[in-house]
Amino acid sequence: VDLYTGTAQVNIPLCELSSRVLNIPVSLSYIAGRGVKVQDYATSVGLGWQLSAGGSISRVVRGLPDECATGYLGTGRFGRKIKQNLADNVPLTAADYKALTGWDGTSYVGVTADGEPDIYYLRTPNFSLQFTFDENGNAVFNNETGIKITSSGFFATASYENSTFTVTDPTGNVYTFGAEREKTITTLYGTSYTFTTAWYLSNITSFNAKDYVNFSYTSSSNNDVLNHYQWTRTYYYTGCVNNTSDPIPMTIVHPKYLSTIYCPTGQVSFN
């Protein structure tokens, strides 16, 4: 039992791939300890279960994707603008205020910029954690972890389609993410966006560079479409009330699935 949340921690070991220095445990984990929600979808190993073997950096987009031009870390530098204005006690310009809030002084015209960093979830075969980025593109953690995260092609660039991440753990092992990515198409503030929502673990190199583990993935031939619903209640001066529930589709483009874990001493294949 998780002493913080009170939820059941169910983990079923399947096997372990042991290399010269690195060890990769493979197991099934039950992740629905708080109940299965209406919008929950089954993974490749069943509803409420997760295969713990590879790894990824996934995220929850808050506002707009961090790396897009008007995102928190984009070329528009909105994260840096907000931090600097707060430090200098200077209000935003009218144009920046309109972009961030969608309010032009008289009416709502739509949000076109983002002043809030996304939330990222790092998962490896050996540890997992949550982080965000500050306005300069540096990873920020809830507490001291000893983990170092660097990005390439992600901060303040227009060429972010091939972004990657490198994670170094306290012992010096290096984890590389991004050779395989998963993209999502959805509508944000009335505009369709396509952006990366998961960067998959492709390689682990040991601290002494004498061992490695490679991960390969297969792509589904189809897209997954998930529907989330936006509920609106409208009040009229006549006293009438109108309730509407509109679906907001989220399309995961050719979802990725772990197919092989390979190291110098053997491999594990998933079918």
Side-chain angles (χ1 to χ4, degrees):
V1 175
D2 187 317
L3 298 180
Y4 180 73
T5 64
T7 56
Q9 292 181 313
V10 181
N11 189 69
I12 303 175
L14 299 178
C15 67
E16 182 170 278
L17 180 62
S18 297
S19 191
R20 301 187 184 107
V21 177
L22 302 169
N23 295 310
I24 307 299
V26 179
S27 64
L28 289 177
S29 300
Y30 187 65
I31 57 175
R34 298 184 183 181
V36 176
K37 301 177 179 61
V38 174
Q39 290 293 314
D40 288 349
Y41 291 82
T43 69
S44 58
V45 291
L47 183 62
W49 291 89
Q50 181 181 69
L51 176 66
S52 299
S56 66
I57 294 177
S58 58
R59 66 168 161 181
V60 172
V61 171
R62 299 194 292 180
L64 300 176
D66 277 351
E67 71 277 16
C68 76
T70 55
Y72 187 79
L73 298 177
T75 53
R77 303 292 181 91
F78 276 90
R80 185 172 291 181
K81 284 182 181 180
I82 293 172
K83 184 65 177 291
Q84 192 61 53
N85 284 29
L86 286 172
D88 297 340
N89 197 25
V90 175
L92 292 167
T93 65
D96 287 345
Y97 182 82
K98 175 183 174 183
L100 289 164
T101 65
W103 182 255
D104 67 357
T106 57
S107 61
Y108 180 77
V109 295
V111 171
T112 57
D114 176 28
E116 187 175 21
D118 299 337
I119 301 175
Y120 297 81
Y121 299 91
L122 166 65
R123 182 174 59 86
T124 76
N126 303 308
F127 60 88
S128 60
L129 54 83
Q130 174 183 315
F131 68 97
T132 61
F133 286 105
D134 68 12
E135 72 280 3
N136 296 311
N138 301 312
V140 178
F141 307 94
N142 292 329
N143 46 50
E144 182 57 43
T145 63
I147 303 291
K148 180 182 178 183
I149 300 176
T150 58
S151 64
S152 175
F154 191 71
F155 171 62
T157 176
S159 304
Y160 52 76
E161 292 298 323
N162 297 316
S163 55
T164 60
F165 293 91
T166 300
V167 176
T168 306
D169 69 18
T171 62
N173 298 321
V174 178
Y175 304 73
T176 305
F177 298 80
E180 293 284 351
R181 292 175 292 275
E182 198 167 80
K183 292 184 178 295
T184 295
I185 304 171
T186 193
T187 299
L188 303 171
Y189 302 112
T191 300
S192 179
Y193 286 85
T194 301
F195 51 90
T196 301
T197 44
W199 295 258
Y200 285 98
L201 177 63
S202 55
N203 172 268
I204 304 176
T205 303
S206 64
F207 66 94
N208 56 10
K210 293 183 178 181
D211 197 11
Y212 66 89
V213 179
N214 292 332
F215 300 80
S216 61
Y217 301 82
T218 184
S219 298
S220 172
S221 58
N222 300 313
N223 296 338
D224 278 353
V225 179
L226 313 179
N227 281 305
H228 299 272
Y229 290 85
Q230 176 177 283
W231 188 76
T232 305
R233 169 171 285 183
T234 305
Y235 296 89
Y236 297 94
Y237 70 92
T238 58
C240 296
V241 177
N242 183 46
N243 297 321
T244 58
S245 181
D246 301 314
I248 302 176
M250 182 173 67
T251 301
I252 302 174
V253 181
H254 302 301
K256 303 290 190 300
Y257 302 99
L258 182 64
S259 59
T260 306
I261 306 175
Y262 174 84
C263 71
T265 60
Q267 72 176 44
V268 177
S269 298
F270 303 86
N271 296 319

